[in-house]
Amino acid sequence: MVTRTLATLVHLEDLSGDRQAGGNSVTVNVVPEQVKPAAAHEPVKRYDAIIIGAGISGMYQLYRLRQLGLTARVFETGDGVGGTWYWNRYPGARFDSESYSYGYSFSQDLLQEWDWSEHFAAQPETLRYLNFVADKFDLRRDIEFSSCVTAAAYDEAANCWEIETGDGRRARAQFLITAVGPLSIPTMPNYEGIETFRGKSFHTGKWPHEPVNFTGQRVAVIGTGATGVQVIQEVAKTAAHLTVFQRRPNYCAPLLNRPIDAETQRKIKASYPEIFERCRESHGCFIHKADPRKAAEVSPEEREAFYEKLYADPGFGIWMGNFRDILTDPLANETISEFMRKKIRERVKDQGIAEKLIPKDHGFGTRRVPLETRYYEVYNQPNVTLVDIRETPIQRIVPTAIMTSATEYELDIIIYATGFDAITGAFDRIDIRGVGGRTLNDKWADGPRTYLGIQIEGFPNLLTLVGPHNAATFCNIPRCIEQNVEWVTDLIRYMRDKSLKRVVPTQEAERVWTEHVYELASRMLFTKVDSWFMGINTNVPGKQKRTFLLYSGGAPAYREKCDEVAARGYEGFTLT
Ligand code: NA7
């Protein structure tokens, strides 16, 4: 093994999407390419199923396959379970979903044993929870940590998948199940001189395991998405000076987090069935259900009062529990957007800064809504500067500073909250080859095509949890993950009971599903705006053209369709 210092590596590693090296700490270990690792000579291990990723979906899939009596092996890049919650350790990281709506629902014991301390738990608690789950169900014995899968090829003659890890280990299984996460490949900007910065730099999605102290430091945050907002409001508390480099602002809504007291804890534990039923019924499986009215069906006064109420309520209610047409009708959307603009102007003292914080290119909710805790008030602090980089673009990074077209900002720490190569990014980083050696990259060159977001024509026995065009991509994610995993488990059980060995969707089923996904999306205002929903990432070559990566028909409709397909003997799939 060789070690190299990080300062020069942040950029290169992020562009390659290689998480093998772990967190963004001071040094990383790298296997020299010319040396073939000893592991390459190890015998190929065989399992019934291989799962890539030990986040929320991979852990639950392992649990279910074990129950079915299958041998399953999970390969995980990190050295612990938790996926998103393992990697995103940045200060301020926490749920935007109510904690008790986010945990697994499959085990009554687990629900009763675990106490969430806050309505919106912070990352350390969520990671503790996922470790608790891994221990309780003894999951670790079937997980290979520090094992980044780099290639997966379907062997047609043997009807099995062979995977290879970055250090040359190989394994084979009849089923390959990807649990790679929708937002798991952090991406960095391509600024000139980025590697020359001599202070510390971190991407929020590869945060070090050791605490980072901001006291007395001059800190920059680049990016103002859901992550940037969380990290900014935290760093502003202790940094000597915080400079926020904002390209495009988002409409942010109050989180209104608070601790869970003993009485509330008791009530939550007694009402889990109702909580999960409520989630099941809502579009995105949140506890907030859309209001059945349209925005124009009420008087302006009533509408204003409703928006005030939503603004004063915790969580995503203002996004998910709003009038049913705010995300489809531009006029309805304008009413809530104007309300949000008014709130920003009220909360930010300097009206010039307030204007910079108001989105001009999209309406409320058409991009991911960051939830905040005194975010706008941060800009009233004397130790915080907002730089609009559309007015004064970043030109380059030098050893001690960020240079914009207007001036130079001397810095000790740069935090990149610049997002992820969303949904398909983790697939792109694995050399996945299906029938005839065709690569998935090639198949998805013009955007993803799937059947139910769970299988791909030409890639038999490959099952994609939270894959593109799957309802789980726009969901209170564990709720949809449980549906995905249980559906996949039922499919495998069905195949075993009927002595079937191979499942693959027909070209026609894939075509119809993909058209359906785009048809539904065309009604949504968010398809008119650049965001990761639309597959846009300005930092990744080839991701500047809008496609559509989510499923916007809602979890109830998706679940119904999946159940219908299963009830009809897995209609649209060829089973042999
Ligand atoms: P997002 O939502 O993709 O936000 C990334 C932010 O970084 C956003 O403000 C971007 O500006 C900004 N960005 C990206 N590249 C650059 C460059 N090159 N220069 C300046 N600014 C840049 O990612 P998050 O991590 O905040 O959130 C992802 C999801 O994780 C979120 O939806 C949650 O569900 C959890 P832009 O808006 O593109 O102009």
Side-chain angles (χ1 to χ4, degrees):
M1 297 284 231
V2 293
T3 33
R4 47 184 179 172
T5 55
L6 183 70
T8 56
L9 284 183
V10 176
H11 193 208
L12 300 171
E13 277 169 10
D14 278 334
L15 285 180
S16 71
D18 175 12
R19 282 196 126 152
Q20 188 78 13
N24 221 1
S25 52
V26 182
T27 58
V28 289
N29 296 320
V30 179
V31 181
E33 269 166 30
Q34 66 276 22
V35 182
K36 197 72 181 160
H41 307 294
E42 284 176 11
V44 179
K45 301 211 175 98
R46 285 166 195 277
Y47 306 97
D48 294 326
I50 288 172
I51 299 163
I52 308 177
I56 296 174
S57 53
M59 289 167 67
Y60 185 43
Q61 187 66 75
L62 171 62
Y63 171 80
R64 280 288 176 206
L65 291 184
R66 266 195 201 159
Q67 278 190 328
L68 214 53
L70 265 64
T71 57
R73 196 78 173 161
V74 181
F75 291 83
E76 163 59 47
T77 302
D79 62 10
V81 298
T84 285
W85 301 105
Y86 171 90
W87 296 102
N88 288 269
R89 296 163 187 255
Y90 61 86
R94 68 170 63 246
F95 285 152
D96 284 336
S97 308
E98 286 71 8
S99 310
Y100 34 86
S101 78
Y102 191 97
Y104 290 112
S105 72
F106 68 86
S107 159
Q108 288 311 313
D109 287 352
L110 176 61
L111 288 169
Q112 295 308 318
E113 282 166 25
W114 185 260
D115 289 349
W116 292 106
S117 71
E118 294 178 281
H119 283 261
F120 301 91
Q123 176 273 337
E125 183 170 340
T126 311
L127 188 57
R128 270 201 308 281
Y129 167 74
L130 293 167
N131 276 289
F132 178 80
V133 173
D135 290 338
K136 181 173 171 62
F137 299 104
D138 189 19
L139 298 180
R140 286 192 182 78
R141 67 182 154 89
D142 286 321
I143 304 175
E144 292 192 26
F145 293 107
S146 304
S147 299
C148 179
V149 174
T150 52
Y154 176 66
D155 176 341
E156 215 168 337
N159 184 38
C160 78
W161 282 89
E162 180 168 304
I163 60 105
E164 187 169 342
T165 60
D167 63 358
R169 274 171 293 144
R170 287 178 296 147
R172 293 189 141 223
Q174 182 187 354
F175 295 102
L176 177 63
I177 303 175
T178 58
V180 291
L183 296 162
S184 53
I185 304 293
T187 52
M188 292 284 285
N190 303 309
Y191 295 130
E192 188 191 325
I194 200 165
E195 71 291 350
T196 66
F197 184 64
R198 281 209 304 265
K200 292 180 182 156
S201 39
F202 309 100
H203 190 291
T204 48
K206 291 176 96 177
W207 200 263
H209 290 204
E210 307 75 39
V212 178
N213 188 358
F214 302 105
T215 311
Q217 302 289 293
R218 296 161 302 173
V219 185
V221 174
I222 303 177
T224 51
T227 302
V229 166
Q230 287 189 332
V231 82
I232 286 164
Q233 61 201 20
E234 202 56 35
V235 173
K237 290 177 186 165
T238 54
H241 200 90
L242 169 64
T243 309
V244 176
F245 292 87
Q246 171 190 271
R247 190 164 65 182
R248 278 187 300 162
N250 289 294
Y251 289 98
C252 310
L255 176 68
L256 301 170
N257 187 28
R258 62 198 191 286
I260 295 176
D261 60 33
E263 176 54 13
T264 311
Q265 191 77 256
R266 197 191 55 73
K267 282 190 187 146
I268 290 168
K269 289 194 178 179
S271 54
Y272 270 126
E274 293 88 70
I275 292 171
F276 293 129
E277 189 49 35
R278 208 182 153 126
C279 291
R280 264 177 76 81
E281 288 169 2
S282 78
H283 186 92
C285 290
F286 291 92
I287 61 172
H288 311 280
K289 208 169 164 190
D291 192 285
R293 297 170 298 172
K294 292 183 172 182
E297 282 171 14
V298 300
S299 69
E301 296 72 31
E302 202 179 330
R303 197 162 54 228
E304 188 77 0
F306 182 56
Y307 290 158
E308 285 289 358
K309 183 187 172 312
L310 291 174
Y311 200 78
D313 282 345
F316 272 144
I318 198 158
W319 194 20
M320 302 291 166
N322 213 314
F323 294 118
R324 69 182 163 95
D325 57 347
I326 62 150
L327 299 181
T328 50
D329 177 352
L331 293 177
N333 184 269
E334 177 54 20
T335 62
I336 179 68
S337 300
E338 180 51 28
F339 175 85
M340 298 301 286
R341 292 194 282 268
K342 189 185 74 178
K343 289 291 178 194
I344 298 171
R345 291 185 184 114
E346 281 170 12
R347 290 175 59 184
V348 179
K349 284 187 190 145
D350 181 325
Q351 289 306 295
I353 297 176
E355 284 314 304
K356 287 189 205 300
L357 289 165
I358 291 174
K360 304 289 188 304
D361 62 350
H362 67 279
F364 173 79
T366 61
R367 300 185 358 134
R368 206 298 202 171
V369 176
L371 294 186
E372 49 85 23
T373 305
R374 299 188 59 74
Y375 173 67
Y376 289 112
E377 286 72 14
V378 158
Y379 296 98
N380 299 333
Q381 292 180 204
N383 69 331
V384 178
T385 305
L386 177 67
V387 179
D388 181 338
I389 59 171
R390 284 169 313 171
E391 277 175 11
T392 54
I394 294 178
Q395 290 188 325
R396 64 182 171 280
I397 297 182
V398 295
T400 55
I402 291 181
M403 315 261 298
T404 68
S405 59
T407 188
E408 177 176 316
Y409 296 87
E410 296 250 326
L411 296 162
D412 304 302
I413 299 175
I414 302 177
I415 298 174
Y416 295 94
T418 44
F420 301 88
D421 189 355
I423 317 276
T424 50
F427 291 93
D428 294 348
R429 304 306 193 281
I430 306 172
D431 181 12
I432 300 176
R433 289 169 190 266
V435 172
R438 184 175 188 193
T439 67
L440 189 57
N441 273 335
D442 176 41
K443 166 134 189 171
W444 284 356
D446 295 324
R449 282 180 293 137
T450 77
Y451 182 38
L452 303 176
I454 218 130
Q455 258 227 306
I456 306 150
E457 182 272 327
F459 295 79
N461 294 359
L462 171 67
L463 296 146
T464 56
L465 304 174
V466 200
H469 298 172
N470 181 314
T473 52
F474 193 55
C475 187
N476 183 14
I477 202 161
R479 303 280 62 79
C480 287
I481 281 174
E482 286 188 335
Q483 183 274 344
N484 271 209
V485 165
E486 285 159 17
W487 194 89
V488 162
T489 308
D490 286 347
L491 168 65
I492 294 175
R493 182 190 292 112
Y494 176 90
M495 290 175 68
R496 192 187 57 183
D497 292 351
K498 296 208 164 342
S499 301
L500 297 162
K501 303 279 180 238
R502 190 178 185 271
V503 58
V504 68
T506 64
Q507 208 158 29
E508 178 61 5
E510 185 178 86
R511 184 188 64 76
V512 171
W513 180 254
T514 305
E515 280 176 10
H516 168 66
V517 166
Y518 278 97
E519 204 275 317
L520 286 175
S522 67
R523 302 175 204 170
M524 308 297 294
L525 295 175
F526 54 60
T527 58
K528 320 287 182 271
V529 179
D530 282 354
S531 76
W532 64 262
F533 294 178
M534 302 304 296
I536 298 287
N537 187 316
T538 59
N539 307 310
V540 180
K543 301 234 166 156
Q544 280 78 48
K545 205 177 97 208
R546 286 183 196 165
T547 65
F548 185 63
L549 303 180
L550 314 182
Y551 173 77
S552 59
Y558 177 80
R559 194 169 46 237
E560 204 175 300
K561 172 71 182 172
C562 288
D563 290 348
E564 194 182 292
V565 165
R568 293 188 179 159
Y570 294 93
E571 187 177 55
F573 292 95
T574 305
L575 285 145
T576 46

